[in-house]
Amino acid sequence: MILGLLDGRPLPRTALDERLAVLRNGPRSTALPRPGSSEDRQLIRWVAQVLLTEALCEAVAAERELPVTASGTASGTAPGPARLDQQAAVGLGSITAAAYEGSAAVRAVYDSVTAEVEPSPADVAHYRALTSRPPVTRWHLVLPDGTFEADPDTLPTALAEALRTAPPGEWVTVGPWTALLLATLAIPQDPDPAPALRDAARRAAFVRWLDRERAQRLTLVDGLEHPGDPAQPDNHHRH
């Protein structure tokens, strides 16, 4: 029985059965669909596609001589799975995200494929135009017992008005409050969007690359849900 073909080379179904056994005996087993149900068949095909993605990236990592150890741990990184945040997982799609988290080879290929990807200046400018917010005003105040920074709107109204109209460097006293406005600061609210945009661009580039490689090099067999079908190895399609 085979899971699929990679460059025409059969991949045994054993890996699929082992991965499914781990899931069905794991801590989240109660959340899995009932064996034999249509949802269970979808799960089997989903796991199969994760495994094929991992196998493809293992082959590519070997072809590119990427630093992935024999144990599957990327050279120079801590062993064990990676964890993506929700935005990154959605950007990659569930199959690719699961393969990325579970396989150091997938992560190594991701880094190799997307190493030169950068957002364009136009993309950065467009993002800034859509998301930019005015700076936040902060006052650097001097009090008789020290200095501090504050949003003018958080000060007593009468004190704030007096400080606005006072000549620079002049102390003002309003009721129980005495203060001097030393400086007005403009605090930017918008972080540099380039890192987030670069991450999004890298994910999109990897998904496009992986889709092309899957179409050219992988075949997922039909009948995975019924491994006893003797026609299974000959009944397959590209995926």
Side-chain angles (χ1 to χ4, degrees):
M1 300 300 171
I2 64 172
L3 167 64
L5 304 175
L6 172 60
D7 297 328
R9 173 174 57 87
L11 300 173
R13 185 195 158 93
T14 307
L16 174 60
D17 294 332
E18 291 175 350
R19 187 72 59 90
L20 289 170
V22 169
L23 291 173
R24 288 168 175 161
N25 293 298
R28 298 182 180 179
S29 59
T30 56
L32 297 180
R34 178 175 54 83
S37 65
S38 60
E39 292 82 4
D40 184 59
R41 291 192 291 272
Q42 292 174 6
L43 172 66
I44 292 171
R45 296 188 69 79
W46 183 87
V47 173
Q49 292 177 70
V50 171
L51 288 169
L52 287 174
T53 299
E54 293 175 356
L56 171 62
C57 288
E58 288 167 5
V60 173
E63 292 161 4
R64 298 189 177 201
E65 298 183 347
L66 301 179
V68 179
T69 68
S71 62
T73 301
S75 178
T77 64
R83 287 291 177 260
L84 294 168
D85 60 35
Q86 184 175 10
Q87 183 177 8
V90 170
L92 289 174
S94 66
I95 292 170
T96 303
Y100 180 97
E101 289 188 336
S103 170
V106 177
R107 297 192 292 272
V109 171
Y110 176 94
D111 289 341
S112 175
V113 168
T114 66
E116 304 301 322
V117 174
E118 294 288 347
S120 70
D123 288 339
V124 174
H126 180 66
Y127 183 88
R128 288 187 190 277
L130 292 177
T131 63
S132 63
R133 296 171 294 173
V136 174
T137 299
R138 290 286 187 273
W139 281 356
H140 189 180
L141 299 171
V142 181
L143 304 182
D145 58 353
T147 64
F148 75 104
E149 291 181 6
D151 182 334
D153 293 338
T154 65
L155 299 175
T157 302
L159 177 61
E161 289 300 325
L163 288 168
R164 284 191 179 96
T165 58
E170 181 174 302
W171 288 86
V172 301
T173 299
V174 178
W177 305 291
T178 297
L180 179 150
L181 178 56
L182 186 63
T184 298
L185 310 174
I187 309 299
Q189 294 192 76
D190 301 319
D192 180 7
L197 288 177
R198 181 174 186 264
D199 288 343
R202 292 181 71 193
R203 290 192 292 268
F206 186 66
V207 168
R208 291 193 298 269
W209 175 87
L210 194 54
D211 284 345
R212 291 193 300 269
E213 293 294 308
R214 282 171 173 153
Q216 295 170 7
R217 304 180 62 174
L218 286 178
T219 302
L220 175 65
V221 300
D222 289 330
L224 285 170
E225 304 88 347
H226 308 287
D229 182 355
Q232 181 204 357
D234 297 319
N235 184 20
H236 56 264
H237 61 86
R238 302 294 296 182
H239 189 88

